[in-house]
Amino acid sequence: QVQLVESGGGLVQAGGSLRLSCAASGRTFSPYGMGWFRQAPGKEDEFVGAIKWTSGYTYSADSVKGRFTFSRDNAKNTVYLQMNSLKPEDTAVYYCAAMIKVGVLLDSSLYDYWGQGTQVTVSS
């Protein structure tokens, strides 16, 4: 089993920054990719971005391009989501997830493990 533990959420003013971390523990960890999703109250979950574990290639949703960056530290089994120029509409619970086998990183249904989520609140 793999456990994903997120940290770094909180309250920030519009225009501010936060960095989320997602650390994996458990079995030998070598996923195909790691994704970030978010869910705002009353809305469906939304793909934020993802990173391929081996190559480091990243994908970003259009809504966060130029503001959010994705990185990983393979030695620490940790991925990061750096969020800059935050907007009130970025307010949501953010989840990291691990996809073990090759698949479409935008598809939340293909992920095998999920973190517990961390709240990000951006005030105007």
Side-chain angles (χ1 to χ4, degrees):
Q1 277 287 0
V2 171
Q3 293 83 39
L4 302 179
V5 178
E6 299 159 20
S7 60
L11 173 64
V12 64
Q13 288 188 333
S17 299
L18 282 174
R19 189 176 82 154
L20 306 184
S21 300
C22 174
S25 62
R27 52 169 275 185
T28 300
F29 191 66
S30 183
Y32 169 66
M34 297 289 293
W36 289 93
F37 294 82
R38 65 187 181 186
Q39 188 165 27
K43 296 186 177 180
E44 294 186 354
D45 67 321
E46 176 188 7
F47 172 79
V48 178
I51 184 167
K52 289 186 175 180
W53 191 252
T54 300
S55 67
Y57 191 85
T58 62
Y59 303 83
S60 298
D62 288 343
S63 59
V64 305
K65 276 181 181 174
R67 300 189 298 122
F68 291 11
T69 57
F70 308 88
S71 60
R72 91 270 192 239
D73 185 330
N74 297 51
K76 295 182 178 179
N77 286 348
T78 300
V79 291
Y80 303 97
L81 169 55
Q82 177 68 45
M83 304 185 292
N84 298 326
S85 301
L86 282 160
K87 304 175 181 180
E89 51 263 44
D90 294 318
T91 295
V93 177
Y94 284 70
Y95 299 89
C96 69
M99 183 182 294
I100 301 303
K101 296 182 179 179
V102 173
V104 178
L105 290 171
L106 282 69
D107 187 345
S108 62
S109 69
L110 299 181
Y111 283 80
D112 301 281
Y113 302 99
W114 289 82
Q116 80 284 3
T118 186
Q119 177 70 46
V120 171
T121 303
V122 185
S123 63
S124 57

